[in-house]
């Protein structure tokens, strides 16, 4: 019996190669290398014939088990609808995901075809437009999707309240006191969203920040990384892109407008959902803080200490962005408000 209990183990590329060869029909021998270790572990698998695949090994997260069954089923539905996505490759037994035993417990794996194309540019308006088009196509296809017993519902409990609890727990652990500010801003944000009428729900991508895509030769954005997906607020799916362009000191307003234009070229955005997206920026920021806080036992408290330094952004967004929008809505015009 080992004296030390693992929280998380990094699986060698060699063992992943053997695992993939056992579970999938691919031309061998396989070459495998790790490309990313983070919220999930990602490996590039190259077959003897030169075909390239990405194998993703799900991480254990505080939010619960990875919902790979719903994720891969939704991707298959999107692919059937002609939406440009990286859908899961079926295993030998026909299943769209596999499971394997690690030292810390069972982990789920999914094999995807590697996507050709380049990484989007953070400030590119054309890349942002392409992301908006594909997200709109995802939402169009989602209208005919009926998931069977999904694990996640992207509501305020999942996106805001539980992440806040993880942040507060970390703050207590490291002796950081925000004077109740986070609770107050979250309460105001939740109350504001709950008071909004007519907000649409859809099956969300959940993490459409602009980089979970590759831009093909024709300029089309092909989406991947749906492991945060689930049924939830459409406004949240829009807000993730807005947050990505205006958080952490970024000022890519033109890219946000191009994203909205791309989305609207496929399907409309209601006034309620567009306005709500700005409130959901705070929700997204708290969600990320909660995700990071939940990893402190594995990463240590110092790498995630940044989450205790977010008051300026949250206060600024709430006061300047949301306050300005409420004022403009009251007087009947949007004026020159940027986002």
């Amino acid at each position: 019996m080992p004296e030390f209990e693992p929280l998380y183990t990094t699986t060698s590329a060699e063992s992943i190669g053997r695992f993939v060869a056992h579970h999938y029909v691919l031309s061998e021998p396989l070459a495998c290398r790790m490309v990313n270790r983070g919220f999930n572990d990602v490996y590039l698998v190259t077959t003897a014939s030169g075909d390239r695949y990405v194998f993703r090994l799900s991480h254990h997260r505080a939010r619960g088990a990875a919902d790979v069954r719903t994720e891969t089923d939704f991707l298959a539905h999107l692919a059937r609808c002609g939406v440009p996505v990286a859908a899961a490759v079926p295993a030998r037994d026909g299943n769209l995901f596999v499971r394997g035993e690690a030292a810390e417990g069972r982990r789920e794996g999914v094999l995807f075809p590697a996507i050709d194309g380049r990484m989007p540019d953070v400030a590119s308006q054309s890349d942002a437009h392409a992301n908006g088009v594909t997200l709109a196509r995802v939402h169009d296809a989602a209208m005919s999707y009926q998931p069977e017993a999904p694990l996640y519902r992207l509501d305020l409990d999942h996106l805001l309240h539980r992440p806040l609890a993880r942040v507060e727990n970390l703050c207590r652990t490291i002796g950081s006191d925000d004077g109740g500010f986070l609770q107050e801003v979250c309460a105001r944000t939740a109350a504001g969203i709950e008071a909004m009428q007519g907000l649409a729900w859809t099956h969300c991508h959940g993490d459409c920040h602009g980089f979970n895509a590759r831009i093909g030769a024709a300029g089309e954005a092909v989406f991947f990384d749906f492991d945060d997906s689930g049924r939830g607020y459409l406004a949240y799916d829009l807000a993730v892109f807005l947050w990505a362009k205006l958080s952490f000191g970024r000022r890519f307003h033109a890219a946000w407008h191009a994203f909205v234009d791309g989305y609207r070229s496929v399907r409309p955005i209601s006034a309620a959902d567009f306005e709500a997206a700005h409130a959901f920026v705070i929700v997204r920021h708290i969600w990320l803080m909660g995700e990071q806080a939940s990893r402190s036992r594995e990463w240590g408290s110092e790498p995630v200490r940044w989450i205790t330094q977010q008051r300026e952004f949250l206060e600024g967004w709430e006061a300047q962005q949301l306050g300005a929008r409420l004022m403009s809505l009251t007087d009947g015009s949007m004026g020159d408000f940027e986002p």
Side-chain angles (χ1 to χ4, degrees):
M1 175 70 69
E3 292 185 279
F4 301 113
E5 180 182 350
L7 290 173
Y8 166 74
T9 56
T10 302
T11 307
S12 71
E14 292 77 12
S15 64
I16 290 293
R18 292 191 298 270
F19 184 81
V20 170
H22 175 72
H23 285 281
Y24 293 88
V25 181
L26 302 176
S27 59
E28 299 182 47
L30 305 181
C32 182
R33 64 178 172 87
M34 176 178 264
V35 295
N36 187 60
R37 177 186 184 276
F39 286 119
N40 297 298
D41 293 341
V42 180
Y43 300 81
L44 178 66
V45 177
T46 305
T47 70
S49 58
D51 295 324
R52 298 162 63 249
Y53 297 87
V54 171
F55 184 75
R56 190 197 70 209
L57 194 60
S58 296
H59 197 292
H60 291 175
R61 294 195 189 180
R63 69 182 185 191
D67 192 7
V68 289
R69 185 182 57 77
T70 302
E71 175 196 1
T72 55
D73 185 60
F74 183 49
L75 281 166
H77 173 79
L78 294 178
R80 288 192 296 269
C81 293
V83 181
V85 295
V89 176
R92 291 179 186 272
D93 61 6
N95 288 322
L96 296 178
F97 64 94
V98 292
R99 289 191 174 100
E101 293 296 332
E104 68 274 22
R106 180 167 291 188
R107 296 175 68 176
E108 295 82 6
V110 184
L111 186 70
F112 302 97
I115 305 171
D116 293 328
R118 60 173 176 81
M119 181 179 293
D121 182 271
V122 65
S124 168
Q125 294 179 46
S126 61
D127 290 356
H129 186 278
N131 268 268
V133 168
T134 299
L135 184 64
R137 294 180 66 184
V138 168
H139 291 168
D140 257 356
M143 295 178 67
S144 58
Y145 179 63
Q146 296 294 327
E148 181 182 343
L151 298 182
Y152 295 125
R153 178 179 169 88
L154 306 190
D155 54 16
L156 291 181
D157 183 54
H158 179 87
L159 297 171
L160 184 66
H161 300 310
R162 282 188 283 153
L164 172 63
R166 297 181 200 122
V167 173
E168 291 179 323
N169 183 62
L170 176 65
C171 288
R172 286 191 293 269
T173 299
I174 64 177
S176 175
D177 181 12
D178 66 8
F181 166 74
L182 284 177
Q183 280 194 348
E184 293 167 2
V185 73
C186 287
R188 289 192 295 269
T189 300
I193 291 171
E194 289 166 349
M196 295 177 183
Q197 301 295 314
L199 297 186
W201 276 59
T202 186
H203 201 94
C204 298
H205 178 285
D207 203 23
C208 183
H209 47 57
F211 294 103
N212 284 328
R214 290 293 179 265
I215 307 299
E220 184 177 58
V222 183
F223 277 11
F224 59 91
D225 201 9
F226 279 72
D227 72 319
D228 289 314
S229 64
R231 184 160 177 78
Y233 290 98
L234 186 150
Y236 175 73
D237 238 11
L238 301 175
V240 173
F241 197 89
L242 174 59
W243 165 86
K245 298 307 173 187
L246 297 180
S247 60
F248 300 108
R250 304 182 189 105
R251 292 294 181 269
F252 300 121
H253 298 89
W256 161 244
H257 291 303
F259 172 82
V260 171
D261 289 343
Y263 190 100
R264 285 175 169 160
S265 72
V266 176
R267 69 197 312 265
I269 303 173
S270 73
D273 287 325
F274 185 76
E275 295 307 317
H278 297 79
F280 273 104
V281 166
I282 289 178
V283 174
R284 170 63 180 194
H285 206 71
I286 297 294
W287 176 88
L288 178 65
M289 291 165 64
E291 285 286 292
Q292 295 274 325
S294 71
R295 304 298 284 275
S296 63
R297 294 182 65 223
E298 175 197 332
W299 295 345
S301 59
E302 290 308 301
V304 298
R305 187 177 284 272
W306 68 269
I307 71 174
T308 67
Q309 302 162 356
Q310 298 305 299
R311 181 166 186 157
E312 181 178 355
F313 171 76
L314 293 169
E315 277 188 327
W317 186 269
E318 186 180 36
Q320 298 172 22
Q321 309 290 344
L322 297 183
R325 298 194 77 80
L326 290 174
M327 289 291 290
S328 66
L329 288 171
T330 300
D331 66 21
S333 71
M334 288 303 295
D336 58 359
F337 181 70
E338 270 286 2

